[in-house]
Amino acid sequence: GRAELDPSSASDKKVVLLPCKNPPSRQRVQLWLEARKQYESLQRGRRRE
Amino acid sequence: MTTLTRQDLNFGQVVADILCEFLEVAIHLILYVREVYPSGIFQKRKKYNVPVQMSCHPELNQYIQDTLHCVKPLIEKNDAEKVVVVIMDKEHHPVERFVFEMSQPPLLSISSDTLLSHVEQLLRAFILKISVCDAVLNNNPPGCSFTVLVHTRDAATRNMEKIQVIKDFPWIVADEQEVHMQEPRLIPLKTMTSDIVKMQLYVEERAQKT
């Protein structure tokens, strides 16, 4: 189990911390990128019409 | 010309602002150079008078900003010994660790001119080293992700409390497997010593990445 930060038991002991949340996954970012490309291509198409 | 001293209330803030702005650029660049995310989300910008690649993905950018907002109070108080960008494989085992080791030397006074021009020049050298670090590192396996670790003292974590709540961005103590790597190859990238901050950057690379 991971330890929660507990300031009440604070001491001078060294600790290594990391964010509880994860960054967006590569797959999620890839999907966003594809959607953006599609949107930009649609916008370009509309401008040409 | 303004003269700042360590006793000035905002001195730690100035150092933390400079370092967090630098770390933001450095993290974006590491993610680009080490191909953690598709290159299509990165755009060329100019920072420290050199071209860098910065993500334009809103969620990723917010994540990096929230991370650094939480780290900033520790840097301000000289309580962040190391900030580490860890690249992990699909099994969440570290393959590379970019270690930013930092400390603020004792200081009596400094001119704001020196602060800006000299430090910017030194930080530029770090950015340039990160830009070309792929030449000395082996390729990472596909499907890597990343996290940021901060090495501090237990007593200092109370400085992070408020910002964690405000940002809804809680932090936890890292597991042993996230902190240590077995027999890593050590690659020193850059060291700087200035009046306001001492910093060194090195990479720990896992011997067998696949």
Side-chain angles (χ1 to χ4, degrees):
Chain A
R2 287 172 180 277
E4 294 285 335
L5 297 184
D6 180 9
S8 63
S9 66
S11 68
D12 245 13
K13 194 179 76 178
K14 288 189 176 188
V15 285
V16 184
L17 309 175
L18 84 166
C20 201
K21 293 179 182 176
N22 289 325
S25 67
R26 188 185 170 96
Q27 290 79 3
R28 190 175 162 88
V29 170
Q30 184 68 50
L31 283 173
W32 174 86
L33 187 61
E34 281 159 22
R36 198 180 77 150
K37 280 179 184 165
Q38 277 178 18
Y39 173 77
E40 283 171 353
S41 138
L42 271 171
Q43 292 289 93
R44 275 195 296 273
R46 279 189 192 146
R47 270 185 231 125
R48 272 190 229 114
E49 281 170 13
Chain B
M1 190 169 73
T2 317
T3 299
L4 298 168
T5 66
R6 179 71 77 201
Q7 286 71 39
D8 285 339
L9 282 177
N10 63 355
F11 186 87
Q13 281 176 19
V14 172
V15 175
D17 282 344
I18 291 171
L19 282 183
C20 285
E21 192 184 348
F22 162 75
L23 286 171
E24 186 177 7
V25 176
I27 292 171
H28 281 260
L29 194 55
I30 289 168
L31 298 179
Y32 171 77
V33 172
R34 301 313 292 149
E35 299 178 0
V36 177
Y37 290 104
S39 61
I41 66 157
F42 293 91
Q43 290 175 340
K44 199 183 263 185
R45 303 256 186 88
K46 211 170 180 184
K47 299 275 181 184
Y48 307 103
N49 220 20
V50 287
V52 292
Q53 297 283 345
M54 303 281 288
S55 148
C56 60
H57 187 273
E59 195 187 333
L60 175 60
N61 293 3
Q62 191 61 52
Y63 183 87
I64 296 170
Q65 274 178 22
D66 287 346
T67 302
L68 292 173
H69 267 126
C70 293
V71 172
K72 194 183 265 189
L74 297 178
I75 297 179
E76 211 174 292
K77 304 275 183 205
N78 203 8
D79 282 328
E81 188 193 335
K82 292 176 193 170
V83 174
V84 187
V85 181
V86 187
I87 299 178
M88 297 168 298
D89 62 17
K90 275 181 187 164
E91 286 75 38
H92 296 280
H93 295 129
V95 286
E96 282 172 4
R97 292 159 40 87
F98 287 76
V99 184
F100 296 87
E101 212 172 286
M102 55 188 72
S103 66
Q104 295 174 34
L107 176 81
L108 295 173
S109 70
I110 187 172
S111 75
S112 55
D113 283 1
T114 316
L115 186 89
L116 293 173
S117 61
H118 184 56
V119 172
E120 184 170 300
Q121 213 171 29
L122 294 170
L123 294 178
R124 180 187 307 151
F126 276 75
I127 294 297
L128 290 170
K129 282 286 180 182
I130 295 170
S131 306
V132 296
C133 73
D134 55 332
V136 289
L137 296 171
N138 294 319
N139 288 344
N140 285 331
C144 283
S145 58
F146 84 102
T147 192
V148 176
L149 302 180
V150 57
H151 291 236
T152 184
R153 289 174 301 105
D154 206 356
T157 57
R158 67 179 62 149
N159 294 329
M160 290 175 83
E161 260 181 283
K162 265 189 201 165
I163 194 82
Q164 287 185 66
V165 176
I166 294 167
K167 290 273 168 196
D168 186 24
F169 200 79
W171 288 61
I172 48 176
V173 177
D175 281 342
E176 188 64 16
Q177 67 162 32
E178 283 150 339
V179 180
H180 292 292
M181 198 186 276
Q182 276 190 340
E183 295 173 21
R185 190 165 74 99
L186 201 73
I187 301 125
L189 288 187
K190 191 71 196 163
T191 302
M192 76 176 254
T193 305
S194 78
D195 291 336
I196 59 158
V197 65
K198 280 181 168 183
M199 184 163 64
Q200 63 168 326
L201 168 61
Y202 56 89
V203 185
E204 288 176 353
E205 184 180 43
R206 197 169 79 194
Q208 292 291 325
K209 285 184 167 178
T210 49

